[in-house]
Amino acid sequence: MRIFLAGMAILSVTTAPSTVDGVWRTDGYGQLVQVSSGKLTTYDVTKVSCLPGALSGTGDGTRFSTNEGSVVTIRAGRMSFDDNLGVRSLRRVPGGLPAECRASSADLFDVFWHSFAENYPFFRAKGVDWKSEGDAARREITAHPERLYDVLCGLIRPLHDAHVGLLAAGQHCSSPRPGTPDLKTTVPRAIAVADANLGTPVQRWADGAIAYADLPEGRGYLRISGFHDYADTFAASSEVLGKALDEIFTADRVRTLRGLILDLRVNGGGDDPLGLQVAARLTDVPHFAYAKRARNDPDDPAKFTVPQPFFVQPAAAPRYPGPLTVLIGNLDVSAGETFLQALLNRRPRPVLIGQPTQGAFSDLMERTLPKPGWKVALPNEEYLDPHGRTYDGAGIGPDVPVPVFAPDDLAAGRDPALAAARR
């Protein structure tokens, strides 16, 4: 570039190439990241494929605004996301982008099967022999290629994992834990019933995803239905959440509240940092939230990256550190569950009322398959408690078991879990 200074000669300055330009391989996550001239491109890699990834971005230097509304920061050997927790280790790939990434003729079934075989951590816990099931599925597809979608659905259904899904030209196949109600019909009715049972006006933010009410008995009721899409970008969503929390946790309110009921029963997940942002308003003392690690050996489901610990730090704003009751159920999933996990080491510990959460904690790994309109999603991470245990599959259970949104209760307008919390 050229710099003009008054009264001085013209100086010519040569801009040095970015130190992050090149191709990087992630530790875990099965991904290559290419940075070139302010553009970020990702490639999803298995032993049999290298295909363009869904994430891309543009930026200047080390920060890139992505097509998904997040900001990615890359420094030598490290990659982080503003809407995600943790740092992914990077290793530079000599020689640039591998030839197979520039022209791939990968088979769809092979890419699908290897994506799970190399990244999914829970086959043993789910009791699924992925190789045996894959061999049988391959034979079925060879005999009946027109049944490809149905066969792939049949492969993932026994996993009973809410973070596993197949999208194929408008069709969607998933398999949450048995007993999970239909979201589209249950959630609106559940919210209406809960609000009716509060018996007091409800304030709402973020298109209703955040709701608060002061209860007649001197307690507060806070419902969070998700941690995502409050605005177009993560940064804007965090700002929306912050303003809502400022209006909820005022200095006068936190001083007079006798207790707080936190309702996570219809929390569909989203961005973990937003959960920690709320947790920061619920404590005066720093405490351990969880540790996070990712599977990083394609041949061994038991090998992971080094766990990265995360902590809840008290916010520099009015906070509520008093008695907390949390309503939970099997529609509490993903970031809704990691948020709950981040509260378990709070003092005083919250009392959990309801039914076990869904048991799907990991961030989603989304993969584009080699057929237009076909995508697959799966988890590849574990969220660990202080003893190194994970709640995946089983979910976090209640201290006080109470039915949550049973069909008969919804039909009658009853909310026994909320009633138990108020008692």
Side-chain angles (χ1 to χ4, degrees):
M1 61 182 175
R2 302 181 66 180
I3 302 175
F4 295 85
L5 299 177
M8 297 180 65
I10 297 176
L11 302 179
S12 295
V13 180
T14 302
T15 302
S18 168
T19 57
V20 300
D21 276 12
V23 178
W24 303 85
R25 185 180 300 276
T26 59
D27 182 15
Y29 302 93
Q31 198 170 61
L32 294 178
V33 181
Q34 182 180 41
V35 180
S36 177
S37 303
K39 182 177 180 181
L40 179 146
T41 308
T42 57
Y43 293 84
D44 300 331
V45 180
T46 70
K47 291 182 178 181
V48 298
S49 62
C50 180
L51 298 169
L55 183 71
S56 62
T58 57
D60 182 14
T62 61
R63 289 171 56 85
F64 301 84
S65 298
T66 76
N67 57 327
E68 298 178 352
S70 61
V71 174
V72 175
T73 301
I74 295 183
R75 294 184 172 88
R78 298 165 64 87
M79 178 180 184
S80 61
F81 298 74
D82 68 341
D83 64 345
N84 202 323
L85 295 174
V87 175
R88 301 182 186 181
S89 296
L90 302 176
R91 177 169 53 84
R92 190 180 288 277
V93 178
L97 195 66
E100 59 267 27
C101 300
R102 294 190 289 269
S104 176
S105 57
D107 174 78
L108 188 149
F109 178 86
D110 285 345
V111 175
F112 179 92
W113 187 87
H114 275 274
S115 294
F116 281 85
E118 298 177 21
N119 297 287
Y120 190 72
F122 308 121
F123 290 122
R124 185 173 183 178
K126 303 288 186 176
V128 173
D129 183 338
W130 190 245
K131 183 180 187 308
S132 175
E133 295 294 332
D135 290 344
R138 167 61 82 183
R139 291 193 294 270
E140 178 73 9
I141 291 172
T142 300
H144 303 282
E146 74 282 358
R147 297 195 65 245
L148 176 62
Y149 174 80
D150 292 334
V151 172
L152 295 185
C153 280
L155 267 177
I156 64 177
R157 284 197 179 104
L159 297 174
H160 297 303
D161 191 322
H163 270 173
V164 169
L166 172 65
L167 180 67
Q171 301 180 85
H172 183 254
C173 174
S174 61
S175 181
R177 197 174 64 201
T180 302
D182 178 72
L183 295 176
K184 291 183 180 179
T185 58
T186 302
V187 171
R189 179 60 181 160
I191 290 175
V193 168
D195 285 353
N197 278 267
L198 290 173
T200 189
V202 179
Q203 298 174 268
R204 305 179 197 279
W205 298 262
D207 294 327
I210 304 167
Y212 179 82
D214 284 311
L215 302 178
E217 62 267 28
R219 295 185 180 90
Y221 169 87
L222 173 61
R223 181 176 62 239
I224 304 178
S225 302
F227 291 112
H228 62 93
D229 297 336
Y230 300 159
D232 291 338
T233 66
F234 171 78
S237 291
S238 179
E239 185 176 348
V240 169
L241 177 60
K243 289 180 178 178
L245 296 175
D246 286 341
E247 294 182 31
I248 294 168
F249 294 105
T250 64
D252 287 342
R253 179 173 281 135
V254 299
R255 185 171 58 250
T256 59
L257 274 181
R258 294 178 51 231
L260 179 66
I261 298 171
L262 175 61
D263 193 345
L264 301 179
R265 290 175 295 174
V266 294
N267 192 301
D271 301 322
D272 291 335
L274 297 184
L276 292 186
Q277 188 174 341
V278 179
R281 304 299 286 262
L282 297 173
T283 185
D284 284 339
V285 180
H287 62 83
F288 178 81
Y290 40 72
K292 178 178 174 179
R293 65 181 185 179
R295 182 180 165 186
N296 69 343
D297 187 330
D299 298 314
D300 189 348
K303 291 187 177 179
F304 291 83
T305 57
V306 176
Q308 298 180 49
F310 299 94
F311 297 84
V312 177
Q313 300 291 343
R319 303 179 296 270
Y320 171 75
L324 180 65
T325 301
V326 187
L327 302 179
I328 61 174
N330 61 7
L331 294 180
D332 181 8
V333 62
S334 192
E337 294 183 275
T338 65
F339 171 49
L340 175 61
Q341 187 172 351
L343 299 177
L344 296 183
N345 293 299
R346 176 188 187 268
R347 293 292 180 268
R349 184 187 185 278
V351 176
L352 311 185
I353 295 178
Q355 294 178 316
T357 63
Q358 180 67 217
F361 290 75
S362 171
D363 294 316
L364 281 178
M365 173 185 285
E366 297 183 348
R367 294 299 179 102
T368 300
L369 297 173
K371 186 174 183 178
W374 286 57
K375 298 180 180 181
V376 67
L378 63 150
N380 71 316
E381 299 169 333
E382 289 184 336
Y383 283 65
L384 308 175
D385 73 3
H387 306 288
R389 299 174 302 203
T390 174
Y391 295 99
D392 283 283
I396 298 174
D399 301 306
V400 182
V402 179
V404 172
F405 303 136
D408 289 348
D409 287 330
L410 288 179
R414 297 187 298 261
D415 192 341
L418 177 59
R422 297 181 74 166
R423 286 196 298 270

